[in-house]
Amino acid sequence: GDGAVAYATNCSGCHGADGAGVGSAYGFTDGAVMKTFPVIEDQLRWVYLGTKAYADAGVTIYGDPNREGGAHVTGASGGQMPGWKGSITDAEILASVCDERYGLGGGDQESDEFIEWCSPESEIYAALLDGSATFDNLHEVFADKGVLEIGSTPIPGLAERP
């Protein structure tokens, strides 16, 4: 529920109410979001920092570099993903990404990733919501769960979780 509200408020204007994409903004439907971002931390970092930060850092490929159908190249679509850092909370970013992956994108809500990050019982979401963790320290707070660093520095995406 939180994700659908956050998505509708912040993301649907570019990506469409149904997540199918509008103009140069990519869609999430039919598993496209999982093809682009097989590792959730990569999607969270992309949404958090946006196109400009990636371009300024010289990171040309975001998400899976071996993506079926071709890797997504920073700025190539002509669209500019805004960086949401400081505009909405880390918890709202996670909620939106969860909606994109598991609501609009049709991801498996029985998956380990859904349970760990997006379920109503998610300790990660709860920690972001109550402020006991942020994208800058989430990997330290949840090191025992194998959470990868999100942070404030753009890095190339991964084809799979290490």
Side-chain angles (χ1 to χ4, degrees):
D2 293 346
V5 170
Y7 177 86
T9 303
N10 302 296
C11 312
S12 65
C14 292
H15 294 284
D18 62 356
V22 176
S24 62
Y26 289 112
F28 307 114
T29 57
D30 300 323
V33 69
M34 297 298 207
K35 287 180 187 175
T36 303
F37 297 107
V39 177
I40 192 171
E41 290 96 331
D42 288 336
Q43 185 179 359
L44 291 166
R45 188 180 311 103
W46 174 250
V47 173
Y48 189 54
L49 301 174
T51 302
K52 183 175 180 346
Y54 274 71
D56 289 351
V59 178
T60 57
I61 304 291
Y62 63 91
D64 183 354
N66 304 314
R67 184 185 185 280
E68 179 186 331
H72 284 191
V73 177
T74 302
S77 72
Q80 295 291 307
M81 175 68 190
W84 290 96
K85 178 181 179 181
S87 297
I88 61 175
T89 68
D90 294 358
E92 289 171 312
I93 293 172
L94 175 58
S96 297
V97 164
C98 287
D99 188 55
E100 291 164 5
R101 294 172 82 80
Y102 295 100
L104 303 168
D108 178 7
Q109 293 187 13
E110 300 294 320
S111 70
D112 291 340
E113 181 187 276
F114 177 84
I115 293 165
E116 196 70 48
W117 290 87
C118 301
S119 72
E121 295 80 28
S122 169
E123 293 176 28
I124 294 171
Y125 180 66
L128 291 173
L129 195 60
D130 72 18
S132 61
T134 67
F135 285 160
D136 288 323
N137 71 0
L138 199 63
H139 65 289
E140 295 166 350
V141 174
F142 291 98
D144 62 322
K145 296 185 182 302
V147 171
L148 303 176
E149 186 172 357
I150 297 168
S152 294
T153 303
I155 59 173
L158 301 169
E160 61 186 33
R161 181 167 292 287

